[in-house]
């Protein structure tokens, strides 16, 4: 394929524990305006629009149909939607631009976790016949993974605590983060995970604009070129997976060209501290790689947007010259079941 | 920039029924996928990626079921993408899969859409109260009936047209072994005597609730060359969306539908759809949508669609057959319904539609819509590859 495609703009909301006073459309509108303003584009100028969200967070069917009102889809637009994290919406938009059917794409995603009990809600994405009826929640499953890592000698509780502390310290430079600064490691939530090992539950939205070739250069001083992007899924049942490893991340990274040259930055979607250990190993990240300078998902984890935020944060670092080659990762499903890796580069300065 | 031509080389459906209590969701989707692979004479290892779609997750009560279905669809270790664009999703899913081939990201893609409606009640799944929205509480029929009434008033169509469509589609379904409703004793009188549900929509003018899945294998030029059976070629493909509700919306003939069709025709070099398109599989969940969409898709002038229906043009042996398979009116696993339209269009141009085959089908349109008549996806497939 010969077409170069870049992230040219990124915007996100502050991530908040509750946003009772805002509808999803109201939460989304400022982000859409902000990302368009950064490029001077209007809705009618965008060639393709793709979004990510989940009906289960909103608690009703077709929740995304009203979000479209915030886009202002009139005259009618070329548009699609994935029922998962917006990182996969970005992937769909990237393939659309590759075909040449569009030169620009608007990608957005959002999630409000506050209306329900997120730990309960997420049990509904497990095998509906054998596992979901037992209601094993997302923290319990992540704890299984953390314990497996500790048992394998890959980490220990103090190392995990350090990951949480580093993330929240880095988040002090991120005005959108939900948790930042010194945060107590806290009591055990589900052994061996303490509250400090777990992500805050929050509401938020994000948006990205993609553009191809010359159009990207017109819209952004230093476009973050997508050198490769790939995603892979693993078996669902935890019993058939080695939870201390992430072969799907490794394969996606390989296909995205992540191992061809070192990256200087990695934005990893690791909602639980132990998952950063798994991902660092799968991605072969050295200590010289700046991991989650934004604070990552341990500082803000808006469901369905946190993966897109990772791509946006990595791209924004390239836009402002803080990175030349960055890796962005997104995950979906229990214990890192599905993983996406994008490699972004700025042109040499 | 040239796109890779996309070919449909495998099609598989389940026999659609009210309740498939003998299989899990995984068992249902695997059955359709297996049939599509068999049709293409390919194995799971020939598939580079899987693109799956379905309508709201609430219908089965499983959040993001693609995670759990990865194993059943042979997707482990592969990219798996999930699409959701309301009722149009079956069509959109096929288009996203076609996009992967057209962009040369993957050579062969398995795409599948499903719904297992027996796991819940779709009507009430669609009727949850939403703050600051007008209450619906009557499923899709309650939403669409006023639009049908508006069409009748605007076009002056006699109130018999809806029953003609239902009578035709249910008879067509008798020729399709995969169709859900096989009403062997169907008569026009029976349709007309069926109870009024949402005036002017009668019971026999509505779609059933079905369990079912539909799968297709899409591939590039090289893959098509290896195909054991004639491929169907994608000549034009597009999606369009507009907001649910706003003052300027024409709910009878939405602009997004017109724009989507125009884009497909432009890509396929179709200048006069009434002459150039041989047959149509269109998304008609309530019978009156046949004349409405005939106008929206450019097969008839505004207010004239019902005349095509009334004069028999859309019958199986008519000049422009519509819903040869029996359509959504006979089979409605919601998430799969759009893909079934796309797949049935491909079956026709491959000459493999069996008893409901249209003789001269060279170019056939597959159409899907969803939400409050706001999401549209369509493709035009042909027996010959695109010229370029």
């Amino acid at each position: 394929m010969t077409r170069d495609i870049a992230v040219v703009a990124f915007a996100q909301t502050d991530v908040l524990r509750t946003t009772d006073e805002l509808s999803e459309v109201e939460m989304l509108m400022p982000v859409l305006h902000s990302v368009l303003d950064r490029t001077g584009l209007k809705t009618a100028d965008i060639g393709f629009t793709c979004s990510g969200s989940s009906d289960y967070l909103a608690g009703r069917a077709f929740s995304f149909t009203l979000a479209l009102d915030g886009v202002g889809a009139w005259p009618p637009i070329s548009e699609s939607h994935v029922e998962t994290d917006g990182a996969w919406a970005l992937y769909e938009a990237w393939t659309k631009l590759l075909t040449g059917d569009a030169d620009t794409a608007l990608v957005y995603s959002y999630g409000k976790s506050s209306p329900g009990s997120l730990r309960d809600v997420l049990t509904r994405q497990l095998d509906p016949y054998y596992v979901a009826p037992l209601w094993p929640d997302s923290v319990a499953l992540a704890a299984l993974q953390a314990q497996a890592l500790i048992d394998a000698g890959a980490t220990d509780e103090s190392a995990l605590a350090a990951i949480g502390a580093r993330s929240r310290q880095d988040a002090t430079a991120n005005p959108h983060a939900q948790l930042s600064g010194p945060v107590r490691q806290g009591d055990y939530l589900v052994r061996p995970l303490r509250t400090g090992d777990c992500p805050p539950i929050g509401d938020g939205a994000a948006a990205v604009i993609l553009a191809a070739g010359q159009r990207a250069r017109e819209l952004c001083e230093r476009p973050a070129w997508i050198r490769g992007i790939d995603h892979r899924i693993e078996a669902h049942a935890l019993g058939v997976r080695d939870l201390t490893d992430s072969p799907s991340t490794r394969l996606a990274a390989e296909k995205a060209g992540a191992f061809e040259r070192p990256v200087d930055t990695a934005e990893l979607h690791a909602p639980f501290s132990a998952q950063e250990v798994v991902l660092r190993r799968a991605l072969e990240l050295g200590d010289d790689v700046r991991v989650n300078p934004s604070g990552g998902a341990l500082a803000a984890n808006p469901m369905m947007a946190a993966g897109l935020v990772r791509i946006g944060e990595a791209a924004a670092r390239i836009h402002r010259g803080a990175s030349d080659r960055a890796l962005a990762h997104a995950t979906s499903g229990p214990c890192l079941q599905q993983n996406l890796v994008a490699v972004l580069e700025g042109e040499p300065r | 920039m040239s796109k890779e031509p996309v070919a449909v080389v495998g099609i598989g459906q389940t026999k659609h029924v009210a309740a498939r209590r003998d299989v899990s969701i995984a068992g249902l989707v695997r059955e359709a996928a297996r049939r599509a692979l068999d049709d293409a004479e390919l194995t799971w290892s020939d598939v580079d990626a899987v693109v799956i779609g379905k309508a709201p997750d609430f219908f089965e009560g499983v959040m993001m079921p693609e995670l759990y279905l990865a194993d059943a669809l042979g997707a482990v270790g592969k990219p798996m993408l999930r699409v959701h664009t309301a009722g149009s999703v079956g069509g959109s899913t096929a288009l996203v899969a076609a996009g992967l081939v057209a962009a040369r990201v993957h050579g062969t893609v398995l795409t599948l859409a499903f719904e297992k409606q027996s796991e819940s009640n779709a009507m009430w799944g669609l009727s949850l109260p939403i703050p600051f929205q007008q209450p619906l509480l009557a499923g899709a029929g309650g939403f669409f009936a006023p639009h049908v009434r508006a069409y009748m008033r605007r076009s002056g169509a006699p109130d018999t047209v809806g029953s003609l469509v239902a009578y035709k589609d249910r008879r067509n379904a008798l020729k399709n072994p995969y169709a859900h409703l096989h009403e062997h004793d169907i008569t026009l009188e029976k349709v007309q005597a069926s109870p009024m549900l949402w005036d002017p929509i009668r019971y026999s003018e509505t779609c059933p609730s079905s369990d079912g899945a539909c799968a297709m294998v899409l591939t590039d030029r090289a893959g098509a060359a290896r195909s054991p059976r004639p491929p169907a070629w994608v000549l034009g493909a597009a999606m369009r969306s507009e907001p649910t509700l706003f003052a300027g919306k024409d709910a009878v003939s939405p602009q997004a539908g017109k724009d989507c069709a125009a884009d497909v025709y432009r890509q396929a070099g179709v200048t006069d759809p009434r002459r150039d398109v041989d047959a149509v599989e269109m998304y008609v969940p309530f019978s009156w949508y046949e004349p409405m969409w005939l106008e929206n898709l450019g097969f008839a002038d505004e207010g004239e669609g019902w005349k095509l229906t009334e004069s028999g043009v859309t019958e199986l042996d008519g000049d422009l057959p519509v819903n040869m398979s029996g359509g959504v009116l006979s089979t409605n696993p919601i998430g799969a319904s759009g893909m079934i339209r796309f797949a049935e269009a491909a079956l026709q141009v491959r000459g493999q539609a069996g008893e409901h085959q249209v003789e001269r089908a060279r170019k056939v349109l597959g159409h899907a819509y969803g939400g409050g008549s706001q999401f549209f996806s369509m493709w035009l497939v042909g027996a010959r590859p695109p010229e370029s």
Side-chain angles (χ1 to χ4, degrees), chain B residues 261-326:
Chain B
D263 192 2
V264 169
Y265 298 149
R266 179 190 56 78
Q267 292 173 40
V270 166
T271 52
D272 178 356
R274 178 73 179 83
R275 188 193 65 212
D276 298 341
V277 175
D278 300 317
V280 187
E281 279 283 341
M282 71 169 69
Y283 204 103
V284 178
F286 303 102
S287 61
W288 277 94
Y289 272 88
E290 177 179 297
M292 289 165 73
W293 293 146
L294 281 169
E295 295 171 26
N296 191 247
L297 295 172
F299 293 107
D301 289 338
E302 198 168 318
E304 306 283 313
W306 63 270
K307 294 176 185 169
L308 294 190
T309 298
E310 196 181 49
S311 62
V313 166
T314 60
E315 293 273 350
L316 190 55
D317 58 359
D319 183 46
L320 180 71
V322 174
N323 289 332
M324 302 71 75
S325 66

Side-chain angles (χ1 to χ4, degrees), chain A residues 1 3 54-56 59-62 64-66 68-69 73-74 76-84 88 91-92 94-95 98-101 121-122 124-129 231-236 251 304 332-333 337-338, chain B residues 1 3 24-25 56-58 61-64 66-68 70-71 75-86 96 99-100 102-106 119 125-126 128 130 133 239-244 246 255-256 259 374-375:
Chain A
M1 214 57 222
R3 214 164 193 232
S54 168
D55 280 350
Y56 262 76
R60 68 178 193 87
F62 296 156
F64 64 93
T65 61
L66 294 175
L68 194 62
D69 292 0
W74 187 261
I77 58 172
S78 175
E79 189 261 355
S80 185
H81 173 260
V82 298
E83 189 79 3
T84 185
W88 278 266
Y91 178 85
E92 185 183 326
W94 172 76
T95 65
L98 279 184
T99 64
D101 284 344
V121 170
L122 289 177
R124 301 301 89 193
Q125 67 177 206
L126 302 169
D127 178 322
Y129 304 99
H231 58 97
R232 302 280 154 166
I233 197 164
E234 294 177 35
H236 182 65
L251 184 56
M304 307 304 146
S332 175
Q337 188 195 344
Q338 188 178 19
Chain B
M1 264 293 314
K3 286 189 282 186
S24 62
I25 298 169
D57 292 6
F58 275 91
V62 188
M63 179 184 185
M64 301 159 72
E66 69 278 8
L67 295 167
Y68 137 73
D71 302 70
V76 172
K78 294 174 188 174
M80 185 174 198
L81 198 56
R82 159 73 192 281
V83 180
H84 180 192
T85 64
V96 174
L100 293 176
R104 301 190 177 91
V105 174
H106 296 297
E119 309 258 341
L126 288 176
L128 298 169
I130 306 158
Q133 289 260 209
M239 288 188 243
R240 284 293 184 284
S241 309
E242 66 183 42
T244 321
F246 69 107
Q255 189 63 40
D259 291 358
Q374 63 183 127
F375 302 114

Side-chain angles (χ1 to χ4, degrees), chain A residues 53-322:
Chain A
S53 68
S54 168
D55 280 350
Y56 262 76
L57 297 178
R60 68 178 193 87
F62 296 156
S63 69
F64 64 93
T65 61
L66 294 175
L68 194 62
D69 292 0
V71 177
W74 187 261
I77 58 172
S78 175
E79 189 261 355
S80 185
H81 173 260
V82 298
E83 189 79 3
T84 185
D85 191 287
W88 278 266
L90 184 142
Y91 178 85
E92 185 183 326
W94 172 76
T95 65
K96 185 76 172 176
L97 296 195
L98 279 184
T99 64
D101 284 344
D103 293 328
T104 52
L106 169 66
V107 179
Y108 64 91
S109 67
Y110 60 92
K112 285 180 61 148
S113 300
S114 58
S117 163
L118 184 63
R119 287 170 69 175
D120 291 336
V121 170
L122 289 177
T123 64
R124 301 301 89 193
Q125 67 177 206
L126 302 169
D127 178 322
Y129 304 99
Y130 294 107
V131 185
L134 304 173
W135 296 84
D137 73 41
S138 46
V139 180
L141 297 178
L144 274 178
Q145 186 167 31
Q147 189 61 52
L149 272 175
I150 291 171
D151 291 348
T155 190
D156 56 35
E157 290 190 35
S158 64
L160 296 182
I163 289 170
R166 191 209 71 229
S167 299
R168 275 96 189 214
Q169 183 53 43
D170 285 342
T172 56
N174 177 0
H176 304 293
Q178 189 178 341
L179 276 187
S180 62
V183 173
R184 276 167 36 81
Q185 183 61 6
D187 297 328
Y188 286 114
L189 200 53
V190 180
R191 257 176 217 276
L193 296 179
R194 297 173 185 267
T195 50
D197 293 305
C198 303
I201 294 173
D203 301 351
V208 157
I209 290 178
L210 300 181
Q214 191 51 35
R215 198 80 186 92
R217 291 188 177 87
E218 292 162 13
L219 296 170
C220 180
E221 206 170 311
R222 191 170 192 246
W225 298 104
I226 299 174
R227 294 301 183 213
I229 180 168
D230 194 83
H231 58 97
R232 302 280 154 166
I233 197 164
E234 294 177 35
H236 182 65
L238 300 183
V240 301
R241 285 159 58 189
D242 174 0
L243 296 181
T244 66
D245 194 10
S246 183
S248 58
T249 299
R250 187 179 295 111
L251 184 56
E254 192 184 305
K255 298 286 182 187
F259 301 129
E260 286 164 17
R261 286 196 295 121
V263 297
D264 55 47
T265 302
E267 278 286 343
L268 306 180
H269 186 194
F272 297 92
S273 57
Q275 293 178 341
E276 184 179 305
V277 177
V278 176
L279 293 171
R280 272 178 182 269
R281 280 162 30 130
L283 293 166
E284 299 169 23
L285 297 178
D287 291 338
D288 55 336
V289 178
R290 187 81 170 89
V291 173
N292 289 343
S294 66
L298 284 164
N301 188 40
M303 294 301 298
M304 307 304 146
L308 184 63
V309 169
R310 302 279 76 72
I311 299 175
E313 288 282 3
R317 257 175 98 76
I318 288 170
H319 293 162
R320 60 178 184 262

